[in-house]
Amino acid sequence: MTTDNKLSFIILRRKQVEARTGLSRSTIYARIAEGSFPRPIDLGGGRAVGWIESEINEWVRSRIEQSRKNI
């Protein structure tokens, strides 16, 4: 398998997303339902899902920006 840096994605599992965001499982899924958090991708194999790292990083960055505007 070749690696093309332009198409290189890192997939995070739920526990990693929880650790990076500080959100609980239920809060993550509630925010997905309301459209304010990145949707996971299906990894196949039934219930296995993951999140694209760059989308989670962007969400965290936007939360930092938003919190700084409210100071």
Side-chain angles (χ1 to χ4, degrees):
M1 176 149 103
T2 62
T3 302
D4 181 352
N5 287 335
K6 294 178 186 175
L7 298 176
S8 179
F9 294 102
I10 295 174
I11 303 300
L12 303 175
R13 297 304 301 266
R14 183 178 48 84
K15 292 286 188 185
Q16 293 172 297
V17 173
E18 289 175 9
R20 287 198 185 197
T21 63
L23 301 176
S24 68
R25 176 192 174 279
S26 59
T27 300
I28 289 170
Y29 283 105
R31 291 188 179 185
I32 290 168
E34 68 185 25
S36 64
F37 195 81
R39 295 183 58 80
I41 60 169
D42 181 6
L43 298 176
R47 298 177 1 185
V49 297
W51 284 260
I52 299 171
E53 180 184 43
S54 61
E55 292 179 357
I56 297 302
N57 289 343
E58 176 59 26
W59 183 87
V60 170
R61 187 198 58 73
S62 73
R63 296 305 307 149
I64 292 169
E65 279 186 10
Q66 186 64 32
S67 71
R68 298 298 187 243
K69 289 180 184 176
N70 293 330
I71 295 179

